[in-house]
Each structure stands twice: as C-alpha cells, then as structure tokens.
C-alpha cells in the first residue's frame, strides 16, 4: 500500500516536471517574441520551479528505498529535504520577481498584448493541469510543489487579464502591480509550509496533541506508574517514530511482562507509527539515559 502510494507520488511529480520544463522553454521563446518582461520574468521563475521539481522527483525516488546499515530508518527524510530545498527556491524566486516588478512600476513598457494572450491561455492550461495532478498528493513534498504550480497558474491568470486590458487600454503599469500582488500571496503561504518543513527537519514533535494522546494512553496501562524520555518525531511529515521509557509500578514476572507488552501493542496499534521502541524500567532501576552529573 505504502509502495503504491509512494510510486504514484513519484509519478505525479515526474509528470509535473515534464510539463513544467517543456513549458519553460516555450516561455523563453514567447517572452522574447512578445517583448514582455512579465513573461520573461515568469520564464526564469519557471526554470527555478523546474529545477526544484526535478530535484524533488529524484529525492522522492530515493526516499522510497529500503533501509540500509547507513540509513537504518530508511530514506524517507530525503523527501523532506526535497520539500525544504523547494521552499527555499520558491522564496528566492518570489523575492527575485518582486525585485524585478517594483522598479518596473516607475518605467513600464508596452508588450505585444495578442501574443501575451495566447501564451497566457496555454500557461493556465499546462500549469493548471500539473497543479491538478499534484493536488491529489498528500506528502509535504507534493504540497510544496503544488504551491510552485499554483504560483505559476496565478501568474498566468494575471498575464491573461493584463493582456486583455492592454488590448483595450494602454496601461502597462498593471503588469508589475499584478506580479507583486500574486507573489506576496504565494510567499505568505510558502513561508508557512517552509516553517512546518523546517520544524520536522529539526526533529520537532510533528503533532503535540498526538504526543499527549500517546502519553495518556501509555499511562492508562495498569502496570505503568510513569513515563520519561518520550520522543515523537517524524521521518517525512507522514511516518512517525516513537521512543519511550515506561516505569513500572512494581517488579513483575515474565508472564506478566508478556501481557504488558501485548497491552502496549494494542494501545499503539491505532497510531500507525513507522518505528516504536519502548523500554521497560522497574521501580528504583537506574536509567542509563539520565544525564550524568559530575561529582
């Protein structure tokens, strides 16, 4: 099931890459022919997107590999690395568009509106289809890439509207104004996703409520008096890892410990954790993970 899910994620990202890269080449040619700085700026931005989507595709494929001695948890965090790189590329791309659009407010130039309209219709169709393909994905990587493509769709909608207006009125200043508007909107959303990705990359607890639930559930088991060293972190935003030390309320014999382990397994089953390591400690037993105090 996971393999199928991973395979389809790879397929969706691969399709988005092929569409994006092919269309970037068309944009550079079209931008040159229509003398539109907006389209040229979008072409450079799309090139950055293509590189980001390409790297995400490769990293997503790597993330599906089996665990090895070197990467004992598997390669899923490579997918998270892809999302992080994409977020940074997208923020830099948005900043670049702003740096191009703001000076253009003072010196706007009239482009070829008819050529812009044709390219804009194609741009909305191609990027819209790629965004639709990726919107079916649930991984952080796909969500981040979806913002790349949504940014492109909005950019082309802006160029579409602009070209229609420029056919009627000579108001070239609308071009940089629209660019700035949609870039700020996307920047806001990407920064939010980027912060979440960075938190997971730094092994923060993916879901504090989930951590509390797990803690309460383990404490509710009859044999357990306390818990410490409870760590919940995520490999890629979807697959979580749990480690915990359970302090028992008295010394138990082997059959009771077997029963306790079965209770723990039942309690944890519904959380669908990728890796679980639970240590049992008897009362007054020394915990080797306790920080050593110098004498």
């Amino acid at each position: 099931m996971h393999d199928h899910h991973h395979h389809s994620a790879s397929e969706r990202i691969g399709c988005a890459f092929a569409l994006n890269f092919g269309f970037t080449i068309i944009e550079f040619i079209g931008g040159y022919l229509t003398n539109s700085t907006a389209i040229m700026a979008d072409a450079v931005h799309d090139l950055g997107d293509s590189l980001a989507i390409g790297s995400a595709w490769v990293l997503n494929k790597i993330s599906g590999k089996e665990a090895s001695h070197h990467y004992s948890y598997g390669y899923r965090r490579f997918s998270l690395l892809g999302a992080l790189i994409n977020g940074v590329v997208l923020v830099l791309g948005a900043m670049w568009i702003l740096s191009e659009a703001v000076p253009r407010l003072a010196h706007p130039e009239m482009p070829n509106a008819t050529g812009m309209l044709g390219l804009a219709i194609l741009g909305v169709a191609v990027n819209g289809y790629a965004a639709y393909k990726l919107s079916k994905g649930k991984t952080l990587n796909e969500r981040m890439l979806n913002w790349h493509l949504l940014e492109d769709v909005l950019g082309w909608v802006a160029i579409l509207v602009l070209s229609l207006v420029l056919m009627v009125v000579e108001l070239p200043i609308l071009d940089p104004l629209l660019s700035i508007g949609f870039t700020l909107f996307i920047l806001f959303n990407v920064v939010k996703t980027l912060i979440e990705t960075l938190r997971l990359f730094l092994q923060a607890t993916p879901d504090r409520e989930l951590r509390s639930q797990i803690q309460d559930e383990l404490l509710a088991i009859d044999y357990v008096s306390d818990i410490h060293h409870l760590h919940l972190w995520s490999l890629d935003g979807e697959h979580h890892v749990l480690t915990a030390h359970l302090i028992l309320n008295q010394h138990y014999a082997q059959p009771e410990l077997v029963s306790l382990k079965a209770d723990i397994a039942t309690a944890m089953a519904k959380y669908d954790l990728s890796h679980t390591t639970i240590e049992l400690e008897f009362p007054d037993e020394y915990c080797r993970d306790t920080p050593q105090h110098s004498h």
Side-chain angles (χ1 to χ4, degrees):
M1 181 68 192
H2 279 316
D3 282 351
H4 173 70
H5 171 73
H6 186 273
H7 176 66
S8 56
S10 235
E11 233 170 44
R12 284 191 292 266
I13 294 171
C15 173
F17 170 70
L19 285 170
N20 211 270
F21 189 69
F23 190 64
T24 300
I25 296 162
I26 295 168
E27 273 182 279
F28 273 112
I29 299 164
Y32 176 75
L33 294 176
T34 57
N35 187 35
S36 167
T37 45
I39 289 175
M40 285 301 263
D42 208 62
V44 174
H45 187 70
D46 263 8
L47 180 64
D49 281 0
S50 295
L51 294 173
I53 292 168
S55 73
W57 189 29
V58 172
L59 290 166
N60 199 71
K61 279 186 174 299
I62 293 170
S63 74
K65 285 169 68 179
E66 292 297 313
S68 66
H69 291 302
H70 287 295
Y71 294 94
S72 58
Y73 277 113
Y75 292 76
R76 292 197 182 278
R77 287 182 78 74
F78 280 83
S79 172
L80 205 57
L81 178 65
L84 200 60
I85 292 168
N86 294 334
V88 171
V89 168
L90 200 50
V91 168
L92 291 175
M95 299 302 282
W96 184 81
I97 286 191
L98 289 175
S99 75
E100 288 291 305
V102 173
R104 215 177 295 155
L105 292 170
H107 307 286
E109 279 182 36
M110 261 312 267
N112 176 339
T114 315
M116 283 176 72
L117 179 65
L119 270 173
I121 291 167
L122 189 62
V124 170
V126 171
N127 287 289
Y129 177 71
Y132 166 73
K133 288 283 282 184
L134 278 189
S135 67
K136 296 175 180 177
K138 296 286 181 282
T139 65
L140 258 180
N141 213 342
E142 286 175 290
R143 275 168 53 199
M144 186 60 91
L145 293 178
N146 206 28
W147 276 114
H148 278 278
L149 296 167
L150 282 176
E151 182 180 31
D152 297 335
V153 172
L154 284 173
W156 281 113
V157 168
I159 291 169
L160 180 70
V161 172
L162 178 73
S163 63
L164 290 170
V165 172
L166 291 180
M167 284 174 167
V168 185
V169 193
E170 194 167 325
L171 265 180
I173 198 164
L174 289 177
D175 174 17
L177 282 175
L178 282 169
S179 299
I180 290 165
F182 91 79
T183 302
L184 288 175
F185 167 71
I186 292 288
L187 201 54
F188 172 72
N189 285 289
V190 168
V191 166
K192 278 201 304 189
T193 311
L194 189 58
I195 289 167
E196 183 189 343
T197 306
L198 192 59
R199 278 185 63 254
L200 291 175
F201 201 75
L202 296 173
Q203 298 191 337
T205 301
D207 185 336
R208 276 183 278 189
E209 198 177 306
L210 177 65
R211 187 189 182 279
S212 296
Q213 276 178 19
I214 291 172
Q215 184 166 327
D216 293 344
E217 194 115 9
L218 289 171
L219 277 171
I221 296 170
D222 289 340
Y223 303 85
V224 179
S225 68
D226 202 2
I227 296 177
H228 63 183
H229 292 299
L230 175 64
H231 303 292
L232 178 69
W233 56 280
S234 188
L235 295 172
D236 61 357
E238 285 186 288
H239 303 84
H240 301 337
V241 177
L242 174 78
T243 64
H245 290 203
L246 306 188
I247 302 171
L248 307 183
N249 47 24
Q250 65 181 73
H251 286 262
Y252 289 104
Q254 186 69 19
E256 290 161 317
L257 291 176
V258 170
S259 168
L260 166 59
K261 287 177 82 171
D263 288 350
I264 293 168
T266 305
M268 294 297 99
K270 64 181 170 195
Y271 294 110
D272 194 26
L273 298 161
S274 288
H275 298 273
T276 315
T277 308
I278 292 178
E279 172 140 357
L280 305 177
E281 291 179 11
F282 292 113
D284 307 323
E285 184 183 343
Y286 173 73
C287 173
R288 68 177 176 280
D289 287 348
T290 304
Q292 299 290 315
H293 297 293
S294 52
H295 299 291

